[in-house]
Amino acid sequence: MFAELAVGGFMVLLTVLIHGVGIFGLGRFLRIEAREEAAEHIHPMSPHGIMVTLALVFGLFTLHGIEIWAYAVVYRIVDAIPTFEQAIYFSTITYSTTGYNSEGLDAKWQMIAAIEGLNGFILLGWSTAFFVTVVARMGRR
């Protein structure tokens, strides 16, 4: 059980770090874009503004993808799931808290899946809060 908690704790720290750095980078990108839009009098709902919003969504999606793949790599390293494809699928449904079941997962590593579910819930919430804040600010310009 200690190994599961240690690996799970490490993964929480790693994914929060990845997410924090990614959100920081996206925030910088958005501040630069906002200055350019203000200087050039570009409306947020213009084609340019829509492309910026799509870039933000893609950036958030990419962050979550990196974090899901990181968990999948761990599942393979500890040999908790037989193939990488299965590990990616399992990690995706666990991270997104869909979590159908732990079929195919080695029972001694189930705590990592539980931790991933909680971790994914928090990180998805963080992204949602960030996105809603950005969209609300766009509406005020």
Side-chain angles (χ1 to χ4, degrees), residues 30-43:
L30 291 170
R31 283 189 294 281
I32 291 167
E33 284 298 317
R35 280 195 295 267
E36 289 179 10
E37 287 175 2
E40 297 178 24
H41 306 292
I42 299 172
H43 192 275

Side-chain angles (χ1 to χ4, degrees), residues 47-78:
H48 176 80
I50 292 169
M51 291 305 293
V52 169
T53 303
L54 291 175
L56 171 61
V57 170
F58 182 75
L60 291 171
F61 195 84
T62 300
L63 279 176
H64 292 290
I66 291 167
E67 293 151 8
I68 288 167
W69 276 60
Y71 271 102
V73 167
V74 167
Y75 291 130
R76 285 301 304 132
I77 287 172
V78 300

